[in-house]
Amino acid sequence: MTGDYVLYNFIACLGIIQAAVGYGGIRGLCFFKRPIFAYIFALVVVSASSAWFFTADNRNLKGLEGTEQFTYMIAAAGTALIATVALSSLINRRIKSQNSPTSEDSLGPGFETLKHMTYFQAVKHSLRKKRKQA
Amino acid sequence: MITHADTRLFEWMNSLAGKNWLLDKFVMWSVNDYFIPILMTLLMVTLWFSGRSLPQRERNQRVFIRALTCMGIANGFVKISNDIFFRPRPFVGHDVRMLFYPPTDSSFPSNGAAVTFALATAVFISNRKLGSVLYFLCLVWGFARVTAGVHYPFDILGGWAFGAFTTLFVYYLLIYVEPWVTLLIRAFRRAYLA
């Protein structure tokens, strides 16, 4: 039960994050170039994982407690975010040379930076900047 | 008087179970511990990432953190209430058509109703559209819990009152809560996660 629950949440979160970052234009976290593909991916992944989770077993039996559910949900969402960061950084590794702004100041904070570069590139960029300042 | 009205309403709603195959399927699908809570959580995950501009996204992320805080506090209030007051479930002492497993904890207030309503109220204050969707899901879950024989209607109403009260309480203390929210968002932003 716990394994099914965590896996379902992980897959569903992976899909929903794609739809949200596609809508928000956070290209550095997107697996796809066009947002429409991110929406389709989200729809397929969430529908398929829901169908699997709710039909694989009887879910109307005593299972996880509320607090356990919450804890596993956070763990699954966190893992989905890590997977998104790693996968999108690999898929979009050439994004920077084409899209990053010329001035460092034009990069916004947090997700705004990821509109122009991948997560790994942003971390590298930030470390380099800190080293220069030191 | 109130208990009598509650029991009568429960009996009427529970009498709907087992009569219509489609309604039974809908109730069995909605009543379980996973479907609606997961749906709500996925909507909350989208809230964290969505927003086309920085201020819009920051507003959404503030709502996200506040809503989670309200949810946690509502859960704590219900736990305290359950330690003080115990109401047996409807299937104890009544002839009930069960569409769900029989839980053993206190029936009043419904923990699920309190937690989800706290979340929906926190979101509704800042985002009417998403808040309305969450309120609708609360309504469906509450209806399903009563029809399936798990709660009395007043358990759900009590849960909603607990949830709404908690959110209003947190929003009243917002002046103290907000610096922590800002700090958290800044930390996530520094790690490129907000």
Side-chain angles (χ1 to χ4, degrees):
Chain A
M1 175 65 224
T2 308
D4 283 4
Y5 181 75
V6 173
L7 187 63
Y8 168 45
N9 278 308
F10 168 74
I11 297 170
C13 282
L14 206 65
I16 217 79
I17 288 173
Q18 279 309 299
V21 296
Y23 175 75
I26 309 169
R27 286 200 54 219
L29 287 179
C30 263
F31 297 163
F32 307 94
K33 277 187 181 163
R34 292 173 61 186
I36 184 78
F37 293 126
Y39 303 150
I40 294 169
F41 175 78
L43 192 71
V44 170
V45 158
V46 174
S47 313
S49 59
S50 301
W52 162 72
F53 182 77
F54 288 105
T55 55
D57 214 340
N58 182 5
R59 302 299 176 195
N60 283 13
L61 301 172
K62 188 166 171 54
L64 299 168
E65 293 292 325
T67 322
E68 284 178 317
Q69 271 190 52
F70 183 73
T71 312
Y72 290 132
M73 179 78 204
I74 295 286
T79 315
L81 183 59
I82 293 168
T84 300
V85 160
L87 269 173
S88 59
S89 291
L90 275 175
I91 294 168
N92 301 317
R93 59 189 181 277
R94 290 197 181 87
I95 194 177
K96 191 184 173 187
S97 56
Q98 296 159 13
N99 295 294
S100 66
T102 44
S103 158
E104 283 194 357
D105 297 331
S106 58
L107 288 171
F111 282 160
E112 289 301 302
T113 307
L114 301 185
K115 283 183 174 176
H116 307 285
M117 55 176 77
T118 70
Y119 187 84
F120 289 163
Q121 287 167 348
V123 171
K124 213 193 279 179
H125 180 266
S126 157
L127 289 174
R128 207 179 297 153
K129 206 169 148 187
K130 270 184 193 157
R131 216 175 294 150
K132 263 186 202 171
Q133 282 170 352
Chain B
M1 174 73 181
I2 290 173
T3 316
H4 181 67
D6 195 20
T7 310
R8 290 295 298 274
L9 190 58
F10 167 76
E11 283 169 352
W12 177 75
M13 286 176 78
N14 185 242
S15 72
L16 299 172
K19 279 187 181 160
N20 183 311
W21 176 84
L22 203 66
L23 181 70
D24 281 1
K25 278 282 165 206
F26 173 74
V27 169
M28 285 167 79
W29 188 265
S30 319
V31 74
N32 74 56
D33 296 334
Y34 309 106
F35 182 63
I36 288 180
I38 290 175
L39 202 57
M40 285 182 147
T41 317
L42 290 179
L43 288 172
M44 292 306 289
V45 170
T46 55
L47 195 65
W48 182 266
F49 290 91
S50 63
R52 287 188 185 273
S53 63
L54 184 66
Q56 201 180 10
R57 202 177 307 115
E58 184 174 330
R59 204 181 60 216
N60 288 340
Q61 286 164 354
R62 281 183 188 281
V63 174
F64 177 93
I65 295 171
R66 283 179 209 150
L68 283 194
T69 310
C70 294
M71 233 176 89
I73 295 173
N75 189 38
F77 280 160
V78 172
K79 291 258 186 280
I80 293 167
S81 154
N82 286 352
D83 285 343
I84 299 166
F85 175 76
F86 182 87
R87 185 186 196 190
R89 295 278 178 169
F91 50 81
V92 180
H94 288 95
D95 191 19
V96 172
R97 290 177 198 171
M98 291 295 289
L99 294 177
F100 196 56
Y101 74 85
T104 50
D105 55 338
S106 178
S107 193
F108 182 91
S110 161
N111 192 5
V115 164
T116 52
F117 208 79
L119 185 88
T121 307
V123 174
F124 186 80
I125 290 170
S126 311
N127 187 331
R128 295 288 150 101
K129 247 188 225 170
L130 184 61
S132 304
V133 173
L134 294 174
Y135 272 143
F136 175 72
L137 292 174
C138 289
L139 205 68
V140 170
W141 208 26
F143 169 78
R145 303 287 282 190
V146 177
T147 309
V150 185
H151 280 294
Y152 290 103
F154 275 41
D155 300 341
I156 302 293
L157 291 177
W160 287 350
F162 259 76
F165 168 76
T166 306
T167 300
L168 295 177
F169 174 70
V170 170
Y171 270 72
Y172 179 70
L173 298 176
L174 211 58
I175 191 162
Y176 304 106
V177 179
E178 215 49 18
W180 294 99
V181 176
T182 306
L183 212 67
L184 208 59
I185 290 177
R186 269 192 206 152
F188 275 113
R189 200 176 277 168
R190 209 163 288 158
Y192 300 106
L193 294 174

